Amino acid sequence: MSKAVRKYLIAGNWKMNKNAAEAVDLVKELQLEAGDQFLVSVLVCPPFTALESVAGIIEDSSIHLGAQNMHPEPSGAYTGEVSAEMLRHLFVTFVILGHSERRQYFNETDAFINTKVLAALNGSLKPIVCVGETLEEREAERTLEVVSSQVKGCLEGVPEEKADQLVIAYEPVWAIGTGKTATPEMAQEVHALIRGLLKEQFGEVMAERIRILYGGSMKPDNAYELLSQEDIDGGLIGGASLQARAFLKIMESARALSS
Ligand code: 13P
């Protein structure tokens, strides 16, 4: 089977940037150039406070809306948290889970992320499950071991019939926001490992349908090469997703590889 079964997903993780008005301005710019194309899936993940405003302006376009986190419980006494149902109510369809910043600053573990992944799937959201090694782990040649254990831990108990809703994002921690990117070969090696794990868990046909994104200083000038790798099916983009021009250029690389 080939890469052609998977549509590229170009996703912007805006992190804690842009208030609602700024978010609307950015999405309007994206919409002008990307809002009516269907060759590549385009996703924006603004902060919670901008979801509703952004949802209101992308409703007639092909741009999808994602959140950056959620709580696994459907409701209750969890101050400061939001549930899958609350997100879906705002027309959110994707949710980033287990980002390395949440692992690092909020002590999220694979087991906790796993509860969120299962809750997202139950709540009809597509989880973007983030994995990736730190610099220390890479230097100790533990990358494959660390990523394997994260993938297995985060995906435990995912029912096979829902696996095609999953997206995995490989984000080497040392490449996030640093300007250092994994070489296409380094990234492909880990993506192939992840595809292998997905095959073991869900079978070959399903594993070929699941998109695996690369994240970590993806920019217009390195996107084409990264995206041309066999198992790289898109990007989870931080810094470069905050400027319409840069984000659209990355999307153009995916489009060029799709046609
Ligand atoms: P940068 O693109 O800024 O390196 O961030 C990547 C990332 O963390 C996306 O989730």
Side-chain angles (χ1 to χ4, degrees), residues 148-189:
S148 297
S149 133
Q150 290 173 334
V151 170
K152 287 183 190 161
C154 292
L155 300 188
E156 209 177 303
V158 168
E160 199 179 312
E161 68 275 10
K162 289 198 174 155
D164 62 346
Q165 301 298 300
L166 290 170
V167 178
I168 312 294
Y170 168 57
E171 302 205 302
V173 178
W174 49 270
I176 295 177
T178 56
K180 287 185 200 148
T181 324
T183 63
E185 295 71 27
M186 278 157 88
Q188 167 58 26
E189 183 192 17

Side-chain angles (χ1 to χ4, degrees), residues 138 143-144 183-194 229:
R138 176 159 284 271
T143 299
L144 301 185
T183 63
E185 295 71 27
M186 278 157 88
Q188 167 58 26
E189 183 192 17
V190 182
H191 281 236
L193 167 94
I194 295 171
Q229 299 297 308

Side-chain angles (χ1 to χ4, degrees), residues 103 109-122 127 129 131 147-160 162-163 166 168 197-198 201-202:
R103 293 172 184 264
T109 60
D110 291 330
F112 186 49
I113 297 160
N114 179 238
T115 63
K116 298 188 187 202
V117 172
L118 300 176
L121 289 169
N122 268 335
V129 184
V131 296
V147 171
S148 297
S149 133
Q150 290 173 334
V151 170
K152 287 183 190 161
C154 292
L155 300 188
E156 209 177 303
V158 168
E160 199 179 312
K162 289 198 174 155
L166 290 170
I168 312 294
L197 294 167
L198 297 173
Q201 189 170 350
F202 303 115

Side-chain angles (χ1 to χ4, degrees), residues 120-134:
L121 289 169
N122 268 335
S124 304
L125 293 176
K126 296 177 176 45
I128 301 179
V129 184
C130 302
V131 296
E133 81 286 3
T134 62

Side-chain angles (χ1 to χ4, degrees), residues 34-60:
D36 59 355
Q37 67 79 40
F38 293 90
L39 212 48
V40 171
S41 305
V42 175
L43 169 68
V44 292
C45 303
F48 290 135
T49 46
L51 287 173
E52 188 164 15
S53 320
V54 170
I57 56 167
I58 60 172
E59 66 186 332
D60 294 325

Side-chain angles (χ1 to χ4, degrees), residues 21-252:
E22 292 164 344
V24 164
D25 287 346
L26 176 52
V27 167
K28 279 186 177 159
E29 263 187 277
L30 297 178
Q31 216 173 1
L32 281 178
E33 293 198 41
D36 59 355
Q37 67 79 40
F38 293 90
L39 212 48
V40 171
S41 305
V42 175
L43 169 68
V44 292
C45 303
F48 290 135
T49 46
L51 287 173
E52 188 164 15
S53 320
V54 170
I57 56 167
I58 60 172
E59 66 186 332
D60 294 325
S61 87
S62 65
I63 299 176
H64 302 277
L65 186 60
Q68 300 174 19
N69 184 30
M70 56 161 253
H71 194 275
E73 293 299 328
S75 62
Y78 299 98
T79 303
E81 295 291 320
V82 303
S83 70
E85 194 272 328
M86 292 169 184
L87 294 173
R88 227 185 28 249
H89 192 72
L90 293 177
F91 306 102
V92 167
T93 49
F94 288 82
V95 60
I96 299 171
L97 296 176
H99 191 279
S100 66
E101 287 146 17
R102 297 215 56 90
R103 293 172 184 264
Q104 185 183 349
Y105 303 126
F106 304 97
N107 304 318
E108 291 198 8
T109 60
D110 291 330
F112 186 49
I113 297 160
N114 179 238
T115 63
K116 298 188 187 202
V117 172
L118 300 176
L121 289 169
N122 268 335
S124 304
L125 293 176
K126 296 177 176 45
I128 301 179
V129 184
C130 302
V131 296
E133 81 286 3
T134 62
L135 183 59
E136 208 182 11
E137 290 161 344
R138 176 159 284 271
E139 285 174 347
E141 298 186 2
R142 292 186 52 224
T143 299
L144 301 185
E145 166 203 333
V146 167
V147 171
S148 297
S149 133
Q150 290 173 334
V151 170
K152 287 183 190 161
C154 292
L155 300 188
E156 209 177 303
V158 168
E160 199 179 312
E161 68 275 10
K162 289 198 174 155
D164 62 346
Q165 301 298 300
L166 290 170
V167 178
I168 312 294
Y170 168 57
E171 302 205 302
V173 178
W174 49 270
I176 295 177
T178 56
K180 287 185 200 148
T181 324
T183 63
E185 295 71 27
M186 278 157 88
Q188 167 58 26
E189 183 192 17
V190 182
H191 281 236
L193 167 94
I194 295 171
R195 182 94 52 214
L197 294 167
L198 297 173
K199 278 184 193 165
E200 276 172 28
Q201 189 170 350
F202 303 115
E204 171 121 22
V205 174
M206 183 58 91
E208 289 290 343
R209 291 171 60 187
I210 300 173
R211 290 180 287 195
I212 308 175
L213 314 182
Y214 170 79
S217 298
M218 190 182 261
K219 304 272 185 269
D221 61 359
N222 59 26
Y224 188 92
E225 252 205 295
L226 284 160
L227 293 171
S228 61
Q229 299 297 308
E230 180 58 31
D231 289 292
I232 301 188
D233 309 312
L236 184 56
I237 301 139
S241 72
L242 298 173
Q243 297 151 350
R245 234 6 43 240
F247 188 66
L248 287 165
K249 277 197 180 140
I250 296 173
M251 189 207 72
E252 279 308 324

